[in-house]
Amino acid sequence: MERSCWKSTLVLLALLINTNAEALFSCHMEDFIKAVKQVEDQDPGSDPVAVLKKLRRAAGLNDAFVQSFLANADTGGPELDSNLTDYIRKAVHHRVLEESREEGVVLTPDGTTVALGPLLLGLEAGFSKARDAGLYQLTLAKDLGHALGGGSPETRRLGPDGCWDNLTFPQVFALSDEPTLLTAAQVNGGMDGVVLGKEVSARPVGPPKLSGLLAEYYSHQLGSEGMDGAPRLISRRRRENFKALVRPSALARHAVNSAERQQMLGGRSKMAVKTKNQLKAAVKKGMKEFIHKYMDCPPFIPRCMWGAEPYRGTPTNLTLPLAFMYIHHTNTPSAPCLTFEQCSADMRSMQRFHQEDRGWDDIGYSFVAGSDGHIYEGRGWHQQGAHTLGHNSKGYGVSFIGDYSARLPSQHSMGLVREQLASCAVGGGRLAPSFAVQGHRDVVNTACPGDAFYEEIKGWERFEEVKK
């Protein structure tokens, strides 16, 4: 009798584990990589293309548009476990639901959010040695054509980003504003699809496992040198790698061609010359916004992602544009932050100090540069900060995390601020008519000689922080 009950218990336990297999996975990239590993383990001899086709079939990414570039996803071989298939479909199938909930996206270890569909299609195109037209149209061009091809120039056509319900076991991703036809997660996934697709296409021999490639790209841990010592092919370098690979004019052309291809695949006649010219003009104009937002500006971590407390009181709005950018370092925390988790903890610590000890309404800085490859949103583009006595209304306050009174921040971090953030700040984060950004920059402690970035501030008036 005891043996029979024990056997029944084991059977029940096995059923419960199988039934709840999907619940064991979250919308985190590392959990998705575990699912990919399971697909690989079910057929150990399968190459990355076969694995990608299984993922595409499970996710339902097998429409006529995709098949016009890639072979049918039906590869034969053993069927995937039903619970694993359900998880993959949920993780990869992209859509925006009510209350601006975005599905088909995952949180990556570096704190950014990526749509899996364009990433996987780009990888399959790369491994299959598809031509550039297929690679671009499968990853980004189709959605870019949709987003930029219609509407007035005043309409916001790109973004927004958003935040997760839980960073340890993420399940729900909510956009921070009304959704557009091309969200930030879709752009990130498209960029990664292009970067990784190009990389594997150029390799004479691909990696033995798809899961290994994804882990190398998304889960790389930075050493003491931060981004200065990081390898080229990691997700934190997404924008710089994409910018080095892609010519905007070519991307715009692929966006127009994808719209024409979809029309013909839908059984309609070839796009009229007038219509195509109008589409070309709209995409060309909209590409300026895309280039500024995702190629000129640095990657930002929103307040809700680092766990910011609400602003206390009523903020004072800035009158844009601003002509100045004041540079600080934090002193405390004194060490550079190298991970999303540590940088976020440092941001919360600084905000707590500014709000609780100094009695300010919020963290004083407009933006903060980590050594993990990202810029962290403080008070942002539109709210006056508390960083530079008598000048808070005249410029943005930007701080590097770490004490740099005797040494420099990493070259990568300085480049993010000096080149990308400064360029982005011209229009307060938005595309705007170009004007000269004057170099009125400040470091709270001693400026370090020998670097042009710091030589600019030597001998200038120093400012202390002021309660605001």
Side-chain angles (χ1 to χ4, degrees), residues 48-198:
V49 174
V51 172
L52 284 160
K53 287 187 182 299
K54 289 181 180 180
L55 294 171
R56 175 154 61 96
R57 181 173 58 185
L61 296 175
N62 205 31
D63 57 28
F65 183 83
V66 172
Q67 288 192 41
S68 67
F69 296 105
L70 301 172
N72 191 291
D74 188 5
T75 61
E79 290 291 328
L80 297 181
D81 174 83
S82 60
N83 290 297
L84 184 58
T85 298
D86 289 343
Y87 170 75
I88 292 169
R89 182 178 297 112
K90 179 181 177 182
V92 178
H93 178 63
H94 186 268
R95 57 180 180 168
V96 177
L97 304 174
E98 293 181 358
E99 299 178 351
S100 296
R101 286 177 51 195
E102 188 174 10
E103 293 187 344
V105 300
V106 295
L107 173 65
T108 68
D110 67 14
T112 57
T113 300
V114 169
L116 288 171
L119 165 66
L120 297 177
L121 291 175
L123 277 165
E124 187 175 345
F127 278 117
S128 303
K129 309 298 182 183
R131 301 179 64 179
D132 279 355
L135 177 63
Y136 290 130
Q137 292 189 35
L138 288 168
T139 53
L140 195 55
K142 182 178 75 170
D143 292 331
L144 196 59
H146 277 252
L148 303 182
S152 66
E154 292 75 26
T155 304
R156 186 174 57 86
R157 293 166 292 192
L158 300 172
D161 207 334
C163 283
W164 290 92
D165 58 332
N166 185 293
L167 298 182
T168 304
F169 198 79
Q171 293 287 330
V172 178
F173 184 71
L175 297 170
S176 58
D177 205 340
E178 288 296 317
T180 65
L181 292 173
L182 187 59
T183 66
Q186 287 176 281
V187 174
N188 288 338
M191 285 183 170
D192 287 346
V194 170
V195 170
L196 289 175
K198 285 273 198 178

Side-chain angles (χ1 to χ4, degrees), residues 85-327:
T85 298
D86 289 343
Y87 170 75
I88 292 169
R89 182 178 297 112
K90 179 181 177 182
V92 178
H93 178 63
H94 186 268
R95 57 180 180 168
V96 177
L97 304 174
E98 293 181 358
E99 299 178 351
S100 296
R101 286 177 51 195
E102 188 174 10
E103 293 187 344
V105 300
V106 295
L107 173 65
T108 68
D110 67 14
T112 57
T113 300
V114 169
L116 288 171
L119 165 66
L120 297 177
L121 291 175
L123 277 165
E124 187 175 345
F127 278 117
S128 303
K129 309 298 182 183
R131 301 179 64 179
D132 279 355
L135 177 63
Y136 290 130
Q137 292 189 35
L138 288 168
T139 53
L140 195 55
K142 182 178 75 170
D143 292 331
L144 196 59
H146 277 252
L148 303 182
S152 66
E154 292 75 26
T155 304
R156 186 174 57 86
R157 293 166 292 192
L158 300 172
D161 207 334
C163 283
W164 290 92
D165 58 332
N166 185 293
L167 298 182
T168 304
F169 198 79
Q171 293 287 330
V172 178
F173 184 71
L175 297 170
S176 58
D177 205 340
E178 288 296 317
T180 65
L181 292 173
L182 187 59
T183 66
Q186 287 176 281
V187 174
N188 288 338
M191 285 183 170
D192 287 346
V194 170
V195 170
L196 289 175
K198 285 273 198 178
E199 179 70 18
V200 298
S201 178
R203 290 180 179 180
V205 179
K209 295 293 182 183
L210 175 64
S211 58
L213 173 65
L214 293 174
E216 287 176 10
Y217 185 74
Y218 288 106
S219 303
H220 176 81
Q221 295 185 353
L222 298 176
S224 59
E225 294 181 349
M227 290 294 291
D228 286 356
R232 174 183 61 86
L233 198 68
I234 58 173
S235 59
R236 290 180 178 89
R237 296 193 187 277
R238 172 185 297 119
R239 294 192 182 199
E240 61 190 83
N241 283 330
F242 182 80
K243 188 173 183 177
L245 285 172
V246 178
R247 289 185 296 110
S249 59
L251 186 58
R253 185 176 67 254
H254 290 310
V256 172
N257 291 342
S258 78
E260 189 172 34
R261 179 183 288 262
Q262 289 178 84
Q263 180 170 309
M264 296 180 68
L265 288 171
R268 290 172 288 173
S269 58
K270 187 176 180 180
M271 188 178 292
V273 173
K274 181 179 179 181
T275 303
K276 188 171 182 177
N277 287 337
Q278 290 173 339
L279 178 61
K280 285 181 179 179
V283 170
K284 182 179 179 181
K285 196 166 189 175
M287 279 296 295
K288 295 178 181 178
E289 179 187 353
F290 176 83
I291 293 166
H292 179 73
K293 189 175 181 71
Y294 295 109
M295 297 173 76
D296 292 340
C297 289
F300 292 98
I301 298 295
R303 288 171 61 90
C304 55
M305 284 296 290
W306 59 262
E309 291 293 321
Y311 191 97
R312 297 178 179 179
T314 303
T316 300
N317 290 330
L318 292 165
T319 301
L320 304 181
L322 303 181
F324 303 102
M325 181 178 285
Y326 305 99
I327 305 298

Side-chain angles (χ1 to χ4, degrees), residues 321-325 394 396 418 422-427 432-441:
L322 303 181
F324 303 102
M325 181 178 285
K394 299 177 182 179
Y396 295 111
R418 176 175 51 203
S423 173
C424 200
V426 169
S434 179
F435 69 93
V437 180
Q438 300 177 43
H440 211 318
R441 296 166 176 157

